[in-house]
Amino acid sequence: MPKKFHKPLVWLPACHRNLDLDDPGGYSVLADRYALAVTQLGLQPVLYPMAQAEDIPCLLPLVDGVLLTGSPSNVEATHFGATALSTDLLDPRRDQLTMHLVREALAKEVPLFGVCRGLQEINVALGGSLYQSVHGEEGMLDHREPEDEDLAVQFAERHDVLLEPGSAFAEWAGGTRARVNSLHGQGIKRLGEGLVAEARAPDGLVEGVRVQGAGAFAYAVQWHPEWRHDQHPFYQRTLEAFAQACRDYRERKED
Ligand SMILES: N[C@@H](CCC(=O)NCCCC(=O)O)C(=O)O
């Protein structure tokens, strides 16, 4: 009898990039920092390349959590009733999968955590909308990273977030204010159905949400807790809470 793999499996949907212009086929990619963070939490990342929405009923039962990662690509504006900017880097295959995966993970009470683009995907999948260029909006900060700087600067803490008193975010942060990084041009405009804003940037932009009434862990953040999480207690405790939810989910599945 083959030994059952002991680590909870976490699905990290791929991004799709044309890394080699001589190879129009493109590549399914996952930034190692997400996979490494998941591994360091004692979980096993899985990618499922080429997975499509119709595969979700077969693939979702195989995993114990879903982590929607960030990506330089934008959620296509057509998903929230707007027109994509000509400058948008898009990833329609990722969108097509995650718009369904969000709803099915919530319906099946599979732990769900969204990071950056992942927050935006959850918001749009639940009927919300996005600012396409937060920095172009009156009174809003520029939330983009300094692209010409090295990664340590790009992912450095950039602004405070104000955390809802009594929220899980405040528990993980040990207070109602925390410093976070910021690497995004889109942002939540209208909240999706059932989302509760529990973290906001100084300009009021919603940067942390909870899915109200979710049967399992269901949170999303605009910042990147995977970045050097071992040096940032707020990031670490957020990720550990997701990991524990995946372990609990797996134990319930095995009962
Ligand atoms: N493109 C969207 C989402 C931004 C995002 O996910 N940034 C992460 C970039 C680093 C990485 O690849 O993980 C936006 O600009 O809002």
Side-chain angles (χ1 to χ4, degrees):
M1 178 73 173
K3 191 168 183 294
K4 189 170 178 61
F5 191 66
H6 65 288
K7 289 182 181 178
L9 302 184
V10 178
W11 187 356
L12 291 90
C15 300
H16 306 93
R17 305 267 175 83
N18 292 323
L19 301 181
D20 173 357
L21 296 182
D22 294 330
D23 176 2
Y27 291 76
S28 295
V29 296
L30 165 65
D32 271 354
R33 66 175 167 279
Y34 299 104
L36 179 60
V38 167
T39 305
Q40 289 169 333
L41 290 163
L43 311 171
Q44 175 58 50
V46 292
L47 189 61
Y48 297 136
M50 313 304 281
Q52 300 182 38
E54 55 263 33
D55 302 317
I56 293 172
C58 294
L59 294 178
L60 190 56
L62 303 178
V63 303
D64 307 295
V66 174
L67 192 159
L68 303 177
T69 68
S71 169
S73 69
N74 285 344
V75 177
E76 191 155 3
T78 48
H79 289 291
F80 49 92
T83 304
L85 304 179
S86 60
T87 53
D88 275 351
L89 173 65
L90 300 175
D91 188 345
R93 286 165 52 195
R94 164 83 183 235
D95 291 344
Q96 286 305 327
L97 176 68
T98 55
M99 289 302 109
H100 292 84
L101 182 55
V102 167
R103 291 191 291 265
E104 295 206 34
L106 291 172
K108 293 291 190 289
E109 300 187 350
V110 178
L112 174 67
F113 186 41
V115 172
C116 207
R117 190 194 212 268
L119 165 103
Q120 297 164 359
E121 289 169 329
I122 290 171
N123 188 60
V124 173
L126 296 178
S129 65
L130 302 177
Y131 293 114
Q132 293 185 261
S133 302
V134 176
H135 42 283
E137 299 294 328
E138 181 73 27
M140 304 300 278
L141 297 171
D142 188 341
H143 289 254
R144 295 172 295 179
E145 71 276 25
E147 285 186 344
D148 299 335
E149 299 287 348
D150 64 38
L151 277 187
V153 175
Q154 291 189 37
F155 279 88
E157 295 174 358
R158 188 96 37 222
H159 63 66
D160 283 358
V161 281
L162 301 179
L163 307 172
E164 188 67 25
S167 67
F169 290 110
E171 180 187 337
W172 299 330
T176 55
R177 182 184 288 268
R179 292 287 293 173
V180 297
N181 51 44
S182 184
L183 297 94
H184 62 105
Q186 293 189 321
I188 289 179
K189 182 176 185 180
R190 185 185 69 250
L191 268 179
E193 188 179 344
L195 290 182
V196 180
E198 294 195 340
R200 289 181 185 273
D203 57 7
L205 188 71
V206 175
E207 294 222 349
V209 298
R210 170 176 58 88
V211 180
Q212 192 164 38
F217 184 106
Y219 291 86
V221 295
Q222 188 66 78
W223 59 89
H224 286 267
E226 82 284 356
W227 176 260
R228 296 183 176 173
H229 54 90
D230 57 333
Q231 302 169 28
H232 198 299
F234 179 31
Y235 296 174
Q236 183 67 24
R237 283 195 285 266
T238 304
L239 293 173
E240 285 173 350
F242 172 63
Q244 189 55 51
C246 295
R247 283 191 283 274
D248 294 347
Y249 180 83
R250 182 181 177 94
E251 278 179 25
R252 284 197 303 275
K253 241 176 23 176
E254 291 174 342
D255 285 350

